[in-house]
Amino acid sequence: MTSSEWPLYEVFVRSKRGLNHVHVGSLHAPDDAMALRHARDVYTRRSEGVSIWVVRSDAITASSPDEKDPMFAPSGDKVYRHPTFYEIPDDVPHM
Amino acid sequence: MTSAVDTDLQAGFDATIAAGDRIEPRDWMPEGYRRTLVRQIAQHAHSEIIGMQPEGNWITRAPSLRRKAILLAKVQDEAGHGLYLYSACETLGVSREDLTRQLIAGAQKYSSIFNYPALSYADVGTIGWLVDGAAICNQVPLCRTSYGPYGRSMIRICKEESFHQRQGFELLATMMRGTDEQRAMVQESVDRFWKPALMMFGPPDSQSSNTEQSMAWGIKRHTNDELRERFIEMTAPQAAALGVTLPDNDLDWDEFWTVVKGGGPCSAQRIAHRKRAYDDGAWVREAAMAFAQSEVDGLAQRVSRDQEADR
Ligand SMILES: [Fe+2]
Ligand SMILES: [Fe+2]
């Protein structure tokens, strides 16, 4: 059975030079070029962006929400990675 | 010979820079701008990676589990900083593999500071306080550098550097509350690191051939001497709070150029170590690729078997 539905694409928009592309949503398109055009029409109708990336959703490997705890556990008990862990007297400037 | 198209492209680039806007990877840019960025970002990335060595030596010898964990976390951060910067550099069309090879071959440089040894445990504190301190002073203005990916990696890095400087200062402050011998160790360490730390800002403006063009392109926002002065001003009250005396600020630029050209006390050792790590890691890189390929082959085989069975 083949589906006639166009593949799903994820859309990333850079709102302004200097900023990262940020994920804004997804859309269906028959190919990469059309995905880009659709993304422009769907997500940047009010000059929300200066650059767009589209990537097929099935090309994305994502961490699973169920694994959230084991996945991110290693950083949970490392408070010493944060500057506030260290006591610096208030009268020491620029630190 | 310049065509009308080239002139338009150059004008667009100039206007972006003049407006204080960022250049992004797919924008047209002059070849000199690209080359300068590759050189600077690669040098910066190499410094993060080579910079793991002097401190890494102390991880197993740090005096408590707490200090070991902190130092391990810091050195791990530096590896991350190297990777952020290599990835920013790769947006300019170079490969990380090639940059690493150039470092090992001596064709690209890294910060002169990492050619000095970390001789005592107090050096771990001094490096955090002065070396990371100087790096922060240099890096904060780079968050506004004109090349987008470089500026964004600097923002990530600066956020993480704060802990590096603070753990160093805290370590030294702890030792200063200890015995006379410990206080002497701290002072001796600061005496050795002060001038090399000041040299991290690069040669004096009068000898810095690239500064003017880099500032015109918005890559650099301040001259070497401006940043050095700022660092000295910021550090003086910290030294007073710590109870150490900073040496004078007379720098020996002949020493600087010797170290930059690979004649520092640890230069040969640093590169040899990096090369060994790279060579010794070859089988891991190859094995991982072979495994990934076998997964792909295995999947293809299963699919064709299933199709066969369906017939
Ligand atoms: Fe760093
Ligand atoms: Fe650091």
Side-chain angles (χ1 to χ4, degrees), chain B residues 249-272:
Chain B
N249 305 327
D250 297 332
L251 303 179
D252 176 357
W253 291 109
D254 291 339
E255 174 185 322
F256 172 78
W257 290 115
T258 305
V259 174
V260 164
K261 287 177 185 138
C266 299
S267 304
Q269 179 190 333
R270 298 288 184 245
I271 291 298

Side-chain angles (χ1 to χ4, degrees), chain A residues 46-66:
Chain A
R46 289 173 184 76
S47 314
E48 286 93 338
V50 294
S51 166
I52 302 173
W53 286 346
V54 291
V55 59
R56 272 184 68 145
S57 309
D58 59 13
I60 290 178
T61 307
S63 61
S64 140
D66 309 339

Side-chain angles (χ1 to χ4, degrees), chain A residues 14 16-21 52-53 78 80-89 91-95, chain B residues 16 21-25 27 66 69-70 73 76 129 152 162-163 165-167 169-170 234 237-238 241:
Chain A
R14 186 203 298 291
K16 181 174 165 274
R17 282 171 179 279
L19 300 181
N20 284 308
H21 286 79
I52 302 173
W53 286 346
K78 296 183 178 57
Y80 47 84
R81 282 179 178 162
H82 299 272
T84 43
F85 180 73
Y86 303 91
E87 250 180 73
I88 307 285
D91 57 350
V92 179
H94 312 297
M95 198 126 45
Chain B
T16 305
D21 258 339
R22 303 292 184 270
I23 301 297
E24 295 293 349
D27 293 336
R66 179 181 185 272
I70 291 169
Q76 187 183 22
W129 174 41
R152 289 191 287 277
S162 164
F163 123 59
Q165 192 187 22
R166 290 171 67 102
Q167 65 83 32
F169 188 90
E170 191 224 42
M234 281 170 28
Q238 297 169 355

